Amino acid sequence: FDMLGLHDRVVRAALAANNGREVKHTGDGIMAAFHSAASAVRCGMTVQQNICQQRDANPNAPLRVRIGIAAGEPIEHHNDLFGSTVQLAARLCARAEPEQILVSNTVAELCIGKSLPWRDGGQVELKGFDQPVRAHCIVFA
């Protein structure tokens, strides 16, 4: 529970700093929404960097997170989000390695010219998607 509390504090601080909105707590993570793809990526980068700093400062809390980001038009109902965009983000998150951020091709295209460090991750097979999906990895210095 201590690591979950640390996770939640780090993520919520990054959401506040990057104009994100917490949609819901998923038990071991947080689903969030943004008006800007670049803000979502910057938030993810902030989360990864802050988790890494916390881990370096406290080796007894080896927290590592995976982040998946997709862009689209989710269905909103009772302050929750549904649909293929949400599923894509969840599948990218599940596919990501610990300490990795995977984003959909749409997110990468929306971030062109925003000076965000990413590389092509190629086509990936994702559960629930008939065709492979192009993914991109955020690269940390």
Side-chain angles (χ1 to χ4, degrees):
F1 285 110
D2 290 340
M3 283 200 297
L4 183 59
L6 170 62
H7 167 274
D8 293 352
R9 285 189 302 278
V10 168
V11 172
R12 287 176 176 141
L15 287 171
N18 290 280
N19 299 313
R21 172 177 69 93
E22 181 176 341
V23 175
K24 66 180 172 185
H25 199 285
T26 62
D28 63 351
I30 292 177
M31 182 197 324
F34 297 83
H35 290 289
S36 158
S39 291
V41 172
R42 286 186 186 106
C43 182
M45 292 174 67
T46 299
V47 167
Q48 292 291 22
Q49 290 164 345
N50 289 344
I51 291 288
C52 183
Q53 288 172 353
Q54 291 290 329
R55 193 175 53 249
D56 289 347
N58 184 4
N60 294 327
L63 182 61
R64 287 176 165 64
V65 298
R66 307 166 194 256
I67 298 174
I69 303 173
E73 296 184 14
I75 300 163
E76 186 164 1
H77 182 68
H78 294 296
N79 294 319
D80 200 353
L81 298 176
F82 303 90
S84 60
T85 301
V86 174
Q87 289 300 313
L88 179 55
R91 298 295 185 252
L92 288 168
C93 184
R95 179 68 181 246
E97 297 293 326
E99 302 180 7
Q100 186 178 50
I101 301 171
L102 282 183
V103 304
S104 69
N105 194 57
T106 304
V107 170
E109 288 177 349
L110 289 169
C111 291
I112 290 173
K114 304 287 184 179
S115 299
L116 295 170
W118 55 271
R119 68 172 169 76
D120 189 344
Q123 299 283 342
V124 294
E125 299 273 344
L126 299 174
K127 178 182 173 185
F129 291 85
D130 296 335
Q131 301 295 320
V133 174
R134 179 162 300 283
H136 301 272
C137 304
I138 302 303
V139 180
F140 293 92

